[in-house]
Amino acid sequence: MKNLKISGLSKTLLLITGLLFTGALFVPMWQIQLEAPQYPEGLVLKLHANKIGGDVDIINGLNHYIGMATLHTENFFEFKVLPYIFSAFALISILLIFIAKRKAVLAFLISYIVFIALAAVDFYRWNYEYGHNLDPNAAIRVPGMAYQPPLIGYKQLLNFGAYSIPDTGGWMLTAAGVLLLLVVLKEYKFNKNKKS
């Protein structure tokens, strides 16, 4: 049997995937929203591919009182490498249009899933260190209390409610993963009797 080339629809989905990876470079990927009675409008931390944005100065000021380290973009190597990783993902998505082999798309999907898993572990570690490694001389100390934000979802931290949720870029990265999965399912389900 001849080598199977992926369909035109799959190539279109790969093009969209590449555009989603590219777009995620320019918008926030994740946000941590903080709500408290003294801040009825709320505070938000925005995590971009290359920086921390949002109400960083105010949050750093509040964190100082409970002994948390201040947040600065330059303290995280992730913000140096993520733009390159997403750019590489975008380039690979486009290259797969020309390679046009379903096994190559499957390998990319698996690699992307591994990346997401590693990113989640790293984000958890990041939150854990900032929430648990507190200055013992802080102005406000609550015995046994840690201030680790949730990996995803809601958590009460003293009088603050913390919501950790995807932002625009996070949803774009999610959509990219879904499109890659759709390409793999389409190519393997509808062409299962052919060699890739």
Side-chain angles (χ1 to χ4, degrees):
M1 291 183 181
K2 66 178 183 178
N3 259 359
L4 176 70
K5 298 290 186 179
I6 62 174
S7 69
L9 175 58
S10 292
K11 290 179 180 180
T12 301
L13 294 178
L14 286 171
L15 174 61
I16 296 170
T17 299
L19 294 175
L20 288 169
F21 281 128
T22 302
L25 291 166
F26 302 100
V27 291
M29 296 182 305
W30 205 266
Q31 60 178 304
I32 299 176
Q33 299 175 1
L34 300 173
E35 295 181 356
Q38 64 268 44
Y39 292 96
E41 73 283 3
L43 299 171
V44 65
L45 199 66
K46 298 265 189 178
L47 303 179
H48 298 249
N50 64 341
K51 66 180 180 179
I52 303 173
D55 301 306
V56 183
D57 292 337
I58 298 173
I59 292 170
N60 277 340
L62 292 170
N63 287 349
H64 172 74
Y65 289 108
I66 58 175
M68 290 180 72
T70 54
L71 299 166
H72 303 284
T73 296
E74 57 270 20
N75 293 342
F76 299 92
F77 81 94
E78 292 89 343
F79 296 122
K80 294 180 177 68
V81 300
L82 281 176
Y84 294 104
I85 291 173
F86 292 157
S87 296
F89 284 165
L91 181 60
I92 291 168
S93 299
I94 302 304
L95 287 175
L96 287 173
I97 295 172
F98 300 98
I99 295 171
K101 299 292 179 64
R102 65 183 187 179
K103 281 187 179 178
V105 180
L106 177 60
F108 183 40
L109 173 61
I110 292 170
S111 299
Y112 185 53
I113 291 170
V114 170
F115 165 77
I116 294 298
L118 292 175
V121 169
D122 184 61
F123 188 42
Y124 178 86
R125 177 194 59 80
W126 187 69
N127 283 338
Y128 183 90
E129 289 181 1
Y130 270 79
H132 287 80
N133 297 336
L134 306 175
D135 182 353
N137 299 314
I140 300 172
R141 293 194 301 164
V142 180
M145 182 68 187
Y147 303 97
Q148 180 181 357
L151 182 65
I152 187 168
Y154 173 82
K155 186 176 182 181
Q156 188 70 31
L157 302 170
L158 291 182
N159 62 326
F160 278 89
Y163 297 87
S164 180
I165 55 176
D167 208 318
T168 306
W171 291 119
M172 293 171 78
L173 295 174
T174 301
V178 170
L179 291 181
L180 284 173
L181 177 61
L182 288 176
V183 171
V184 169
L185 290 177
K186 177 187 180 304
E187 295 302 325
Y188 276 86
K189 181 177 180 181
F190 295 107
N191 300 293
K192 60 186 176 182
N193 294 324
K194 297 181 181 179
K195 292 181 180 179
S196 55

